[in-house]
Short mmCIF file of all heavy atoms in Angstrom, two decimals:
data_model
loop_
_atom_site.label_atom_id
_atom_site.label_comp_id
_atom_site.label_asym_id
_atom_site.label_seq_id
_atom_site.Cartn_x
_atom_site.Cartn_y
_atom_site.Cartn_z
N GLU L 1 -0.03 13.53 -17.03
CA GLU L 1 -0.93 13.10 -16.04
C GLU L 1 -0.21 11.97 -15.31
O GLU L 1 0.25 10.92 -15.89
CB GLU L 1 -2.20 12.54 -16.61
CG GLU L 1 -3.28 12.28 -15.67
CD GLU L 1 -4.57 11.88 -16.41
OE1 GLU L 1 -4.93 12.63 -17.28
OE2 GLU L 1 -5.19 10.96 -15.96
N MET L 2 -0.18 12.00 -13.97
CA MET L 2 0.50 11.01 -13.16
C MET L 2 -0.50 9.86 -12.74
O MET L 2 -1.56 10.03 -12.35
CB MET L 2 1.02 11.70 -11.94
CG MET L 2 1.87 10.80 -11.05
SD MET L 2 2.62 11.73 -9.70
CE MET L 2 4.13 10.87 -9.49
N CYS L 3 0.00 8.64 -12.91
CA CYS L 3 -0.76 7.49 -12.62
C CYS L 3 -0.35 7.00 -11.16
O CYS L 3 0.84 7.24 -10.86
CB CYS L 3 -0.51 6.38 -13.68
SG CYS L 3 -1.42 4.90 -13.33
N ILE L 4 -1.17 6.28 -10.50
CA ILE L 4 -0.82 5.79 -9.15
C ILE L 4 0.33 4.91 -9.13
O ILE L 4 1.06 4.78 -8.23
CB ILE L 4 -2.09 5.17 -8.40
CG1 ILE L 4 -1.85 5.00 -7.05
CG2 ILE L 4 -2.48 3.82 -9.14
CD1 ILE L 4 -3.11 4.72 -6.13
N ARG L 5 0.53 4.06 -10.22
CA ARG L 5 1.61 3.21 -10.33
C ARG L 5 2.96 3.87 -10.43
O ARG L 5 3.96 3.32 -10.23
CB ARG L 5 1.37 2.17 -11.43
CG ARG L 5 1.60 2.83 -12.79
CD ARG L 5 1.61 1.71 -13.90
NE ARG L 5 1.71 2.33 -15.11
CZ ARG L 5 0.88 2.40 -16.11
NH1 ARG L 5 -0.24 1.78 -16.00
NH2 ARG L 5 1.09 2.97 -17.21
N ASP L 6 2.90 5.18 -10.71
CA ASP L 6 4.18 5.92 -10.91
C ASP L 6 4.67 6.50 -9.61
O ASP L 6 5.67 7.11 -9.55
CB ASP L 6 3.97 7.13 -11.90
CG ASP L 6 3.64 6.65 -13.29
OD1 ASP L 6 4.15 5.50 -13.68
OD2 ASP L 6 2.91 7.27 -13.99
N ARG L 7 3.85 6.44 -8.53
CA ARG L 7 4.24 7.00 -7.19
C ARG L 7 5.00 5.97 -6.44
O ARG L 7 4.74 4.84 -6.41
CB ARG L 7 2.95 7.36 -6.50
CG ARG L 7 2.16 8.44 -7.23
CD ARG L 7 0.92 8.77 -6.41
NE ARG L 7 0.01 9.62 -7.21
CZ ARG L 7 -1.15 9.89 -6.97
NH1 ARG L 7 -1.81 9.51 -5.86
NH2 ARG L 7 -1.88 10.71 -7.76
N LEU L 8 5.98 6.48 -5.67
CA LEU L 8 6.77 5.60 -4.85
C LEU L 8 6.22 5.85 -3.42
O LEU L 8 5.83 6.88 -3.01
CB LEU L 8 8.20 6.10 -4.84
CG LEU L 8 8.97 5.82 -6.15
CD1 LEU L 8 10.38 6.36 -6.05
CD2 LEU L 8 8.95 4.38 -6.58
N VAL L 9 6.16 4.75 -2.63
CA VAL L 9 5.67 4.74 -1.35
C VAL L 9 6.72 4.13 -0.43
O VAL L 9 7.35 3.14 -0.69
CB VAL L 9 4.40 3.90 -1.22
CG1 VAL L 9 3.92 3.83 0.22
CG2 VAL L 9 3.26 4.44 -2.10
N ASP L 10 6.97 4.81 0.72
CA ASP L 10 7.92 4.27 1.69
C ASP L 10 7.28 3.30 2.55
O ASP L 10 6.39 3.63 3.34
CB ASP L 10 8.48 5.51 2.52
CG ASP L 10 9.51 5.05 3.59
OD1 ASP L 10 10.02 3.88 3.44
OD2 ASP L 10 9.73 5.70 4.52
N ALA L 11 7.63 2.07 2.38
CA ALA L 11 7.07 0.96 3.16
C ALA L 11 8.01 0.44 4.28
O ALA L 11 7.84 -0.62 4.76
CB ALA L 11 6.65 -0.20 2.22
N SER L 12 9.04 1.20 4.55
CA SER L 12 9.97 0.78 5.54
C SER L 12 9.44 0.58 6.95
O SER L 12 9.90 -0.15 7.73
CB SER L 12 11.25 1.68 5.59
OG SER L 12 10.87 2.97 5.96
N GLY L 13 8.37 1.26 7.23
CA GLY L 13 7.75 1.22 8.63
C GLY L 13 6.74 0.17 8.79
O GLY L 13 6.17 -0.04 9.85
N ILE L 14 6.53 -0.65 7.76
CA ILE L 14 5.52 -1.67 7.85
C ILE L 14 6.01 -2.89 8.67
O ILE L 14 7.11 -3.36 8.56
CB ILE L 14 5.12 -2.21 6.42
CG1 ILE L 14 4.40 -1.14 5.59
CG2 ILE L 14 4.32 -3.47 6.48
CD1 ILE L 14 4.07 -1.51 4.27
N ASP L 15 5.16 -3.31 9.61
CA ASP L 15 5.55 -4.47 10.45
C ASP L 15 5.42 -5.74 9.72
O ASP L 15 4.32 -6.27 9.41
CB ASP L 15 4.59 -4.52 11.66
CG ASP L 15 4.85 -5.64 12.64
OD1 ASP L 15 5.80 -6.31 12.48
OD2 ASP L 15 4.07 -5.75 13.61
N GLN L 16 6.58 -6.37 9.40
CA GLN L 16 6.69 -7.54 8.55
C GLN L 16 6.02 -8.71 9.25
O GLN L 16 5.43 -9.59 8.57
CB GLN L 16 8.13 -7.86 8.15
CG GLN L 16 8.73 -6.79 7.21
CD GLN L 16 8.06 -6.71 5.86
OE1 GLN L 16 7.75 -7.67 5.29
NE2 GLN L 16 7.84 -5.55 5.47
N ASP L 17 6.17 -8.87 10.56
CA ASP L 17 5.55 -9.86 11.23
C ASP L 17 4.02 -9.87 11.18
O ASP L 17 3.35 -10.93 11.10
CB ASP L 17 5.92 -9.94 12.71
CG ASP L 17 7.49 -10.33 12.91
OD1 ASP L 17 8.01 -11.08 12.02
OD2 ASP L 17 8.10 -9.84 13.87
N LEU L 18 3.48 -8.72 11.25
CA LEU L 18 2.05 -8.55 11.15
C LEU L 18 1.52 -9.02 9.76
O LEU L 18 0.52 -9.64 9.60
CB LEU L 18 1.68 -7.06 11.30
CG LEU L 18 0.17 -6.80 11.30
CD1 LEU L 18 -0.60 -7.57 12.35
CD2 LEU L 18 -0.11 -5.29 11.46
N LEU L 19 2.34 -8.68 8.71
CA LEU L 19 1.96 -9.12 7.36
C LEU L 19 1.92 -10.56 7.21
O LEU L 19 1.16 -11.11 6.39
CB LEU L 19 2.80 -8.38 6.27
CG LEU L 19 2.81 -6.95 6.17
CD1 LEU L 19 3.80 -6.46 5.17
CD2 LEU L 19 1.42 -6.46 5.67
N LYS L 20 2.77 -11.28 7.83
CA LYS L 20 2.96 -12.71 7.75
C LYS L 20 1.84 -13.54 8.43
O LYS L 20 1.53 -14.68 8.15
CB LYS L 20 4.28 -13.20 8.22
CG LYS L 20 5.46 -12.74 7.32
CD LYS L 20 6.77 -13.20 7.90
CE LYS L 20 7.87 -12.64 7.04
NZ LYS L 20 9.20 -12.82 7.56
N ARG L 21 1.29 -12.89 9.54
CA ARG L 21 0.16 -13.60 10.22
C ARG L 21 -1.11 -13.54 9.44
O ARG L 21 -1.50 -12.68 8.66
CB ARG L 21 -0.11 -12.84 11.57
CG ARG L 21 1.08 -13.09 12.57
CD ARG L 21 0.69 -12.48 13.90
NE ARG L 21 1.50 -11.25 13.96
CZ ARG L 21 1.29 -10.20 14.75
NH1 ARG L 21 0.24 -10.24 15.49
NH2 ARG L 21 2.07 -9.18 14.80
N THR L 22 -1.93 -14.67 9.64
CA THR L 22 -3.14 -14.75 8.98
C THR L 22 -4.26 -14.95 9.96
O THR L 22 -4.11 -15.47 11.06
CB THR L 22 -3.20 -15.95 7.98
OG1 THR L 22 -3.02 -17.13 8.71
CG2 THR L 22 -2.21 -15.82 6.85
N SER L 23 -5.44 -14.43 9.60
CA SER L 23 -6.58 -14.54 10.54
C SER L 23 -7.15 -16.03 10.39
O SER L 23 -6.78 -16.82 9.51
CB SER L 23 -7.67 -13.54 10.09
OG SER L 23 -8.27 -13.92 8.82
N GLU L 24 -8.04 -16.32 11.33
CA GLU L 24 -8.60 -17.72 11.24
C GLU L 24 -9.41 -17.85 9.89
O GLU L 24 -9.37 -18.86 9.28
CB GLU L 24 -9.58 -17.90 12.38
CG GLU L 24 -8.87 -18.01 13.81
CD GLU L 24 -9.83 -18.32 14.93
OE1 GLU L 24 -10.91 -18.87 14.66
OE2 GLU L 24 -9.49 -17.86 15.96
N LYS L 25 -10.09 -16.66 9.55
CA LYS L 25 -10.85 -16.78 8.29
C LYS L 25 -9.91 -17.02 7.00
O LYS L 25 -10.25 -17.80 6.27
CB LYS L 25 -11.64 -15.47 8.16
CG LYS L 25 -12.64 -15.43 7.08
CD LYS L 25 -13.50 -14.22 7.16
CE LYS L 25 -14.60 -14.20 6.14
NZ LYS L 25 -15.43 -12.99 6.16
N GLU L 26 -8.78 -16.32 7.03
CA GLU L 26 -7.85 -16.55 5.90
C GLU L 26 -7.30 -17.95 5.94
O GLU L 26 -7.18 -18.60 4.85
CB GLU L 26 -6.66 -15.51 6.04
CG GLU L 26 -5.59 -15.73 5.04
CD GLU L 26 -5.99 -15.45 3.63
OE1 GLU L 26 -6.97 -14.83 3.38
OE2 GLU L 26 -5.28 -15.92 2.69
N SER L 27 -6.97 -18.43 7.07
CA SER L 27 -6.45 -19.88 7.14
C SER L 27 -7.50 -20.83 6.65
O SER L 27 -7.19 -21.74 5.96
CB SER L 27 -6.09 -20.14 8.61
OG SER L 27 -4.96 -19.32 9.10
N ALA L 28 -8.77 -20.58 6.97
CA ALA L 28 -9.87 -21.46 6.52
C ALA L 28 -9.98 -21.39 5.07
O ALA L 28 -10.17 -22.43 4.36
CB ALA L 28 -11.20 -21.01 7.20
N TYR L 29 -9.87 -20.17 4.42
CA TYR L 29 -9.98 -20.15 3.00
C TYR L 29 -8.77 -20.75 2.32
O TYR L 29 -8.89 -21.34 1.24
CB TYR L 29 -10.04 -18.61 2.55
CG TYR L 29 -11.43 -18.09 2.59
CD1 TYR L 29 -11.86 -17.15 3.57
CD2 TYR L 29 -12.41 -18.45 1.63
CE1 TYR L 29 -13.05 -16.56 3.54
CE2 TYR L 29 -13.66 -17.97 1.66
CZ TYR L 29 -13.97 -16.99 2.62
OH TYR L 29 -15.26 -16.55 2.64
N GLN L 30 -7.51 -20.67 2.94
CA GLN L 30 -6.42 -21.31 2.35
C GLN L 30 -6.61 -22.84 2.34
O GLN L 30 -6.29 -23.56 1.41
CB GLN L 30 -5.15 -20.94 3.06
CG GLN L 30 -4.66 -19.51 2.73
CD GLN L 30 -3.41 -19.24 3.42
OE1 GLN L 30 -2.72 -20.06 4.11
NE2 GLN L 30 -2.96 -17.95 3.31
N LYS L 31 -7.11 -23.37 3.45
CA LYS L 31 -7.37 -24.78 3.54
C LYS L 31 -8.42 -25.23 2.53
O LYS L 31 -8.32 -26.23 1.85
CB LYS L 31 -7.88 -25.12 4.98
CG LYS L 31 -8.03 -26.62 5.21
CD LYS L 31 -8.36 -26.91 6.68
CE LYS L 31 -8.65 -28.38 6.93
NZ LYS L 31 -9.07 -28.68 8.25
N LEU L 32 -9.44 -24.41 2.36
CA LEU L 32 -10.52 -24.70 1.40
C LEU L 32 -10.00 -24.70 -0.03
O LEU L 32 -10.24 -25.58 -0.84
CB LEU L 32 -11.69 -23.64 1.53
CG LEU L 32 -12.81 -23.84 0.65
CD1 LEU L 32 -13.59 -25.06 1.07
CD2 LEU L 32 -13.80 -22.56 0.77
N TRP L 33 -9.13 -23.71 -0.38
CA TRP L 33 -8.51 -23.55 -1.61
C TRP L 33 -7.64 -24.86 -1.95
O TRP L 33 -7.67 -25.42 -3.03
CB TRP L 33 -7.69 -22.34 -1.80
CG TRP L 33 -6.82 -22.42 -3.00
CD1 TRP L 33 -5.47 -22.58 -3.07
CD2 TRP L 33 -7.35 -22.34 -4.43
NE1 TRP L 33 -5.09 -22.61 -4.43
CE2 TRP L 33 -6.16 -22.46 -5.25
CE3 TRP L 33 -8.56 -22.15 -4.96
CZ2 TRP L 33 -6.23 -22.37 -6.62
CZ3 TRP L 33 -8.62 -22.17 -6.41
CH2 TRP L 33 -7.43 -22.24 -7.12
N LEU L 34 -6.83 -25.28 -0.90
CA LEU L 34 -5.95 -26.46 -1.11
C LEU L 34 -6.78 -27.70 -1.32
O LEU L 34 -6.35 -28.53 -2.17
CB LEU L 34 -5.04 -26.59 0.08
CG LEU L 34 -3.83 -25.61 0.14
CD1 LEU L 34 -3.02 -25.76 1.42
CD2 LEU L 34 -2.91 -25.78 -1.11
N THR L 35 -7.85 -27.79 -0.62
CA THR L 35 -8.77 -29.00 -0.81
C THR L 35 -9.30 -29.02 -2.22
O THR L 35 -9.26 -30.02 -2.93
CB THR L 35 -9.88 -28.98 0.25
OG1 THR L 35 -9.30 -28.97 1.50
CG2 THR L 35 -10.80 -30.09 0.05
N PHE L 36 -9.78 -27.87 -2.64
CA PHE L 36 -10.24 -27.75 -4.06
C PHE L 36 -9.20 -28.03 -5.01
O PHE L 36 -9.35 -28.85 -5.97
CB PHE L 36 -10.84 -26.27 -4.27
CG PHE L 36 -11.18 -25.98 -5.70
CD1 PHE L 36 -12.31 -26.52 -6.26
CD2 PHE L 36 -10.35 -25.21 -6.48
CE1 PHE L 36 -12.62 -26.21 -7.64
CE2 PHE L 36 -10.66 -24.86 -7.76
CZ PHE L 36 -11.78 -25.40 -8.35
N PHE L 37 -8.04 -27.37 -4.89
CA PHE L 37 -6.93 -27.55 -5.81
C PHE L 37 -6.48 -29.03 -5.93
O PHE L 37 -6.23 -29.58 -7.01
CB PHE L 37 -5.76 -26.69 -5.36
CG PHE L 37 -4.52 -26.74 -6.29
CD1 PHE L 37 -4.51 -26.00 -7.40
CD2 PHE L 37 -3.44 -27.50 -6.04
CE1 PHE L 37 -3.42 -26.05 -8.26
CE2 PHE L 37 -2.41 -27.61 -6.83
CZ PHE L 37 -2.39 -26.82 -8.01
N ASN L 38 -6.39 -29.68 -4.77
CA ASN L 38 -5.93 -31.11 -4.76
C ASN L 38 -7.01 -32.01 -5.37
O ASN L 38 -6.63 -33.07 -5.97
CB ASN L 38 -5.60 -31.53 -3.34
CG ASN L 38 -4.43 -30.85 -2.84
OD1 ASN L 38 -3.45 -30.53 -3.58
ND2 ASN L 38 -4.28 -30.68 -1.59
N HIS L 39 -8.22 -31.72 -5.32
CA HIS L 39 -9.28 -32.55 -5.98
C HIS L 39 -9.44 -32.31 -7.42
O HIS L 39 -9.86 -33.30 -8.13
CB HIS L 39 -10.62 -32.33 -5.25
CG HIS L 39 -10.75 -33.05 -3.89
ND1 HIS L 39 -10.27 -32.46 -2.75
CD2 HIS L 39 -11.19 -34.25 -3.66
CE1 HIS L 39 -10.42 -33.37 -1.77
NE2 HIS L 39 -11.04 -34.46 -2.22
N ILE L 40 -9.17 -31.14 -7.93
CA ILE L 40 -9.28 -30.94 -9.37
C ILE L 40 -8.02 -31.14 -10.04
O ILE L 40 -8.10 -31.22 -11.36
CB ILE L 40 -9.86 -29.52 -9.72
CG1 ILE L 40 -8.84 -28.46 -9.35
CG2 ILE L 40 -11.19 -29.41 -8.97
CD1 ILE L 40 -9.07 -27.13 -9.95
N ALA L 41 -6.91 -31.21 -9.45
CA ALA L 41 -5.56 -31.37 -10.11
C ALA L 41 -5.55 -32.74 -10.77
O ALA L 41 -5.94 -33.82 -10.16
CB ALA L 41 -4.47 -31.19 -9.09
N ILE L 42 -5.06 -32.78 -11.98
CA ILE L 42 -4.81 -34.10 -12.68
C ILE L 42 -3.37 -34.51 -12.36
O ILE L 42 -2.42 -33.84 -12.75
CB ILE L 42 -5.02 -33.88 -14.27
CG1 ILE L 42 -6.44 -33.41 -14.47
CG2 ILE L 42 -4.65 -35.13 -14.95
CD1 ILE L 42 -6.62 -32.99 -15.96
N GLN L 43 -3.20 -35.58 -11.64
CA GLN L 43 -1.99 -36.03 -11.10
C GLN L 43 -0.86 -36.09 -12.24
O GLN L 43 0.26 -35.79 -12.03
CB GLN L 43 -2.02 -37.30 -10.32
CG GLN L 43 -2.81 -37.17 -9.14
CD GLN L 43 -2.27 -36.25 -8.07
OE1 GLN L 43 -1.03 -36.22 -7.91
NE2 GLN L 43 -3.12 -35.45 -7.41
N ALA L 44 -1.29 -36.55 -13.40
CA ALA L 44 -0.36 -36.79 -14.51
C ALA L 44 0.16 -35.48 -15.02
O ALA L 44 1.17 -35.44 -15.77
CB ALA L 44 -1.02 -37.66 -15.62
N ARG L 45 -0.56 -34.39 -14.79
CA ARG L 45 -0.16 -33.10 -15.37
C ARG L 45 0.50 -32.19 -14.38
O ARG L 45 0.82 -31.00 -14.67
CB ARG L 45 -1.41 -32.38 -15.88
CG ARG L 45 -1.94 -33.07 -17.15
CD ARG L 45 -2.93 -32.23 -17.83
NE ARG L 45 -3.36 -32.79 -19.05
CZ ARG L 45 -4.08 -32.23 -19.90
NH1 ARG L 45 -4.57 -31.01 -19.70
NH2 ARG L 45 -4.42 -32.76 -21.06
N ILE L 46 0.72 -32.65 -13.22
CA ILE L 46 1.48 -31.73 -12.15
C ILE L 46 2.83 -31.61 -12.58
O ILE L 46 3.57 -32.56 -12.89
CB ILE L 46 1.32 -32.38 -10.78
CG1 ILE L 46 -0.15 -32.30 -10.28
CG2 ILE L 46 2.20 -31.70 -9.78
CD1 ILE L 46 -0.40 -32.95 -8.95
N ASN L 47 3.30 -30.35 -12.67
CA ASN L 47 4.61 -30.00 -13.24
C ASN L 47 5.20 -28.92 -12.32
O ASN L 47 5.04 -27.74 -12.68
CB ASN L 47 4.52 -29.61 -14.64
CG ASN L 47 5.90 -29.54 -15.23
OD1 ASN L 47 6.90 -29.41 -14.57
ND2 ASN L 47 5.92 -29.47 -16.60
N PRO L 48 5.76 -29.19 -11.19
CA PRO L 48 6.30 -28.14 -10.31
C PRO L 48 7.34 -27.27 -10.96
O PRO L 48 7.36 -26.04 -10.73
CB PRO L 48 6.88 -28.96 -9.19
CG PRO L 48 6.38 -30.37 -9.25
CD PRO L 48 5.93 -30.56 -10.68
N LYS L 49 8.19 -27.83 -11.90
CA LYS L 49 9.22 -27.05 -12.61
C LYS L 49 8.49 -25.97 -13.37
O LYS L 49 8.97 -24.81 -13.41
CB LYS L 49 10.08 -27.92 -13.44
CG LYS L 49 11.03 -28.73 -12.68
CD LYS L 49 11.92 -29.52 -13.63
CE LYS L 49 12.99 -30.34 -12.86
NZ LYS L 49 13.73 -31.15 -13.81
N LEU L 50 7.39 -26.31 -14.08
CA LEU L 50 6.69 -25.30 -14.89
C LEU L 50 5.98 -24.27 -14.00
O LEU L 50 6.05 -23.07 -14.35
CB LEU L 50 5.72 -26.00 -15.73
CG LEU L 50 5.01 -25.09 -16.75
CD1 LEU L 50 6.04 -24.55 -17.80
CD2 LEU L 50 3.94 -25.92 -17.55
N GLN L 51 5.43 -24.62 -12.80
CA GLN L 51 4.82 -23.73 -11.93
C GLN L 51 5.91 -22.77 -11.49
O GLN L 51 5.62 -21.52 -11.41
CB GLN L 51 4.21 -24.42 -10.71
CG GLN L 51 2.92 -25.17 -11.02
CD GLN L 51 2.42 -25.88 -9.82
OE1 GLN L 51 3.12 -26.47 -9.05
NE2 GLN L 51 1.10 -25.80 -9.65
N VAL L 52 7.04 -23.25 -11.02
CA VAL L 52 8.08 -22.33 -10.54
C VAL L 52 8.58 -21.39 -11.60
O VAL L 52 8.82 -20.24 -11.39
CB VAL L 52 9.27 -23.17 -9.96
CG1 VAL L 52 10.46 -22.37 -9.76
CG2 VAL L 52 8.81 -23.93 -8.65
N GLN L 53 8.58 -21.89 -12.85
CA GLN L 53 9.07 -21.06 -13.97
C GLN L 53 8.07 -19.98 -14.30
O GLN L 53 8.47 -18.93 -14.75
CB GLN L 53 9.21 -21.96 -15.22
CG GLN L 53 9.87 -21.40 -16.42
CD GLN L 53 10.02 -22.43 -17.47
OE1 GLN L 53 9.50 -23.43 -17.49
NE2 GLN L 53 10.89 -22.06 -18.43
N ASN L 54 6.73 -20.23 -14.12
CA ASN L 54 5.75 -19.29 -14.49
C ASN L 54 5.17 -18.34 -13.40
O ASN L 54 4.52 -17.36 -13.60
CB ASN L 54 4.56 -19.90 -15.07
CG ASN L 54 4.90 -20.50 -16.49
OD1 ASN L 54 5.31 -19.78 -17.38
ND2 ASN L 54 4.64 -21.81 -16.68
N ILE L 55 5.55 -18.67 -12.13
CA ILE L 55 5.15 -17.85 -11.02
C ILE L 55 6.38 -17.21 -10.43
O ILE L 55 7.25 -17.88 -9.94
CB ILE L 55 4.42 -18.70 -9.88
CG1 ILE L 55 3.16 -19.40 -10.52
CG2 ILE L 55 4.00 -17.81 -8.72
CD1 ILE L 55 2.45 -20.41 -9.66
N PRO L 56 6.47 -15.85 -10.41
CA PRO L 56 7.64 -15.19 -9.88
C PRO L 56 7.91 -15.58 -8.45
O PRO L 56 6.89 -15.77 -7.65
CB PRO L 56 7.21 -13.76 -10.00
CG PRO L 56 6.26 -13.63 -11.06
CD PRO L 56 5.46 -14.92 -10.99
N LYS L 57 9.19 -15.70 -8.15
CA LYS L 57 9.56 -16.18 -6.79
C LYS L 57 8.99 -15.35 -5.67
O LYS L 57 8.67 -15.88 -4.62
CB LYS L 57 11.17 -16.13 -6.82
CG LYS L 57 11.69 -16.96 -5.61
CD LYS L 57 13.22 -17.12 -5.75
CE LYS L 57 13.74 -18.09 -4.67
NZ LYS L 57 15.14 -18.34 -4.91
N ARG L 58 8.79 -14.04 -5.86
CA ARG L 58 8.21 -13.21 -4.79
C ARG L 58 6.82 -13.64 -4.39
O ARG L 58 6.36 -13.23 -3.31
CB ARG L 58 8.28 -11.76 -5.19
CG ARG L 58 7.32 -11.41 -6.34
CD ARG L 58 7.45 -9.89 -6.67
NE ARG L 58 6.42 -9.65 -7.75
CZ ARG L 58 6.77 -9.13 -8.87
NH1 ARG L 58 7.97 -8.90 -9.19
NH2 ARG L 58 5.80 -8.95 -9.80
N PHE L 59 6.10 -14.37 -5.24
CA PHE L 59 4.75 -14.86 -4.91
C PHE L 59 4.76 -16.24 -4.37
O PHE L 59 3.61 -16.67 -3.94
CB PHE L 59 3.80 -14.78 -6.13
CG PHE L 59 3.74 -13.39 -6.73
CD1 PHE L 59 4.11 -13.10 -8.05
CD2 PHE L 59 3.20 -12.39 -6.01
CE1 PHE L 59 3.94 -11.84 -8.54
CE2 PHE L 59 3.03 -11.11 -6.51
CZ PHE L 59 3.48 -10.84 -7.77
N TRP L 60 5.85 -16.94 -4.28
CA TRP L 60 5.80 -18.37 -3.78
C TRP L 60 5.26 -18.52 -2.40
O TRP L 60 4.50 -19.37 -2.07
CB TRP L 60 7.17 -18.97 -3.89
CG TRP L 60 7.71 -19.13 -5.26
CD1 TRP L 60 7.09 -18.84 -6.43
CD2 TRP L 60 8.93 -19.78 -5.60
NE1 TRP L 60 7.91 -19.22 -7.48
CE2 TRP L 60 9.06 -19.69 -7.00
CE3 TRP L 60 10.03 -20.23 -4.85
CZ2 TRP L 60 10.22 -20.21 -7.66
CZ3 TRP L 60 11.17 -20.71 -5.51
CH2 TRP L 60 11.27 -20.66 -6.94
N GLY L 61 5.60 -17.50 -1.55
CA GLY L 61 5.11 -17.67 -0.12
C GLY L 61 3.65 -17.41 0.00
O GLY L 61 3.04 -17.85 0.95
N ASP L 62 3.07 -16.71 -0.99
CA ASP L 62 1.64 -16.44 -0.99
C ASP L 62 0.83 -17.37 -1.77
O ASP L 62 -0.37 -17.16 -2.01
CB ASP L 62 1.35 -14.97 -1.45
CG ASP L 62 2.04 -13.97 -0.58
OD1 ASP L 62 2.07 -14.15 0.71
OD2 ASP L 62 2.62 -12.98 -1.10
N THR L 63 1.45 -18.46 -2.31
CA THR L 63 0.71 -19.40 -3.21
C THR L 63 0.68 -20.70 -2.49
O THR L 63 1.66 -21.46 -2.50
CB THR L 63 1.58 -19.49 -4.48
OG1 THR L 63 1.79 -18.21 -5.08
CG2 THR L 63 0.77 -20.30 -5.59
N PRO L 64 -0.45 -20.97 -1.94
CA PRO L 64 -0.52 -22.19 -1.03
C PRO L 64 -0.27 -23.51 -1.80
O PRO L 64 0.33 -24.43 -1.28
CB PRO L 64 -2.04 -22.19 -0.57
CG PRO L 64 -2.51 -20.83 -0.79
CD PRO L 64 -1.67 -20.21 -1.86
N GLU L 65 -0.60 -23.56 -3.01
CA GLU L 65 -0.42 -24.85 -3.78
C GLU L 65 1.06 -25.05 -4.06
O GLU L 65 1.43 -26.18 -4.44
CB GLU L 65 -1.25 -24.87 -5.09
CG GLU L 65 -1.02 -23.70 -6.07
CD GLU L 65 -1.96 -22.56 -5.79
OE1 GLU L 65 -2.44 -22.32 -4.68
OE2 GLU L 65 -2.19 -21.79 -6.79
N LEU L 66 1.90 -24.13 -3.90
CA LEU L 66 3.38 -24.33 -4.15
C LEU L 66 4.02 -24.69 -2.68
O LEU L 66 5.24 -25.05 -2.73
CB LEU L 66 4.08 -23.09 -4.61
CG LEU L 66 3.68 -22.76 -6.08
CD1 LEU L 66 4.44 -21.53 -6.53
CD2 LEU L 66 4.06 -23.88 -7.02
N ALA L 67 3.38 -24.59 -1.63
CA ALA L 67 3.92 -24.85 -0.32
C ALA L 67 4.03 -26.27 -0.01
O ALA L 67 3.49 -27.16 -0.59
CB ALA L 67 3.03 -24.23 0.78
#
């Protein structure tokens, strides 16, 4: 039985610039998330080296708190 994760998809035709753009709603949610994240973060426990170690590099661009 074939699972969806076993299928390969040709993504060469995807417009990369379109994927990088965000809507106003997405930008508002990112700003809201960063505000929340900055208010709940314990300054003494912020450890960027550990975040980088635990979050794969391919996700860094999509992780607002690492920006």
Side-chain angles (χ1 to χ4, degrees):
E1 188 172 318
M2 188 175 208
C3 181
I4 194 164
R5 70 172 183 246
D6 297 328
R7 297 180 191 168
L8 295 177
V9 177
D10 179 17
S12 61
I14 293 178
D15 182 1
Q16 294 297 316
D17 290 331
L18 180 63
L19 290 177
K20 291 178 185 175
R21 285 185 258 157
T22 57
S23 67
E24 287 181 32
K25 193 173 184 179
E26 174 66 20
S27 296
Y29 275 110
Q30 286 183 6
K31 185 176 178 183
L32 183 65
W33 169 252
L34 285 174
T35 301
F36 170 76
F37 182 81
N38 290 330
H39 280 83
I40 66 162
I42 300 170
Q43 294 299 318
R45 291 191 174 187
I46 292 178
N47 188 345
K49 287 183 180 179
L50 187 63
Q51 285 179 319
V52 168
Q53 189 176 17
N54 288 307
I55 300 173
K57 196 171 190 172
R58 66 176 183 244
F59 297 120
W60 292 1
D62 299 321
T63 309
E65 57 269 25
L66 292 178

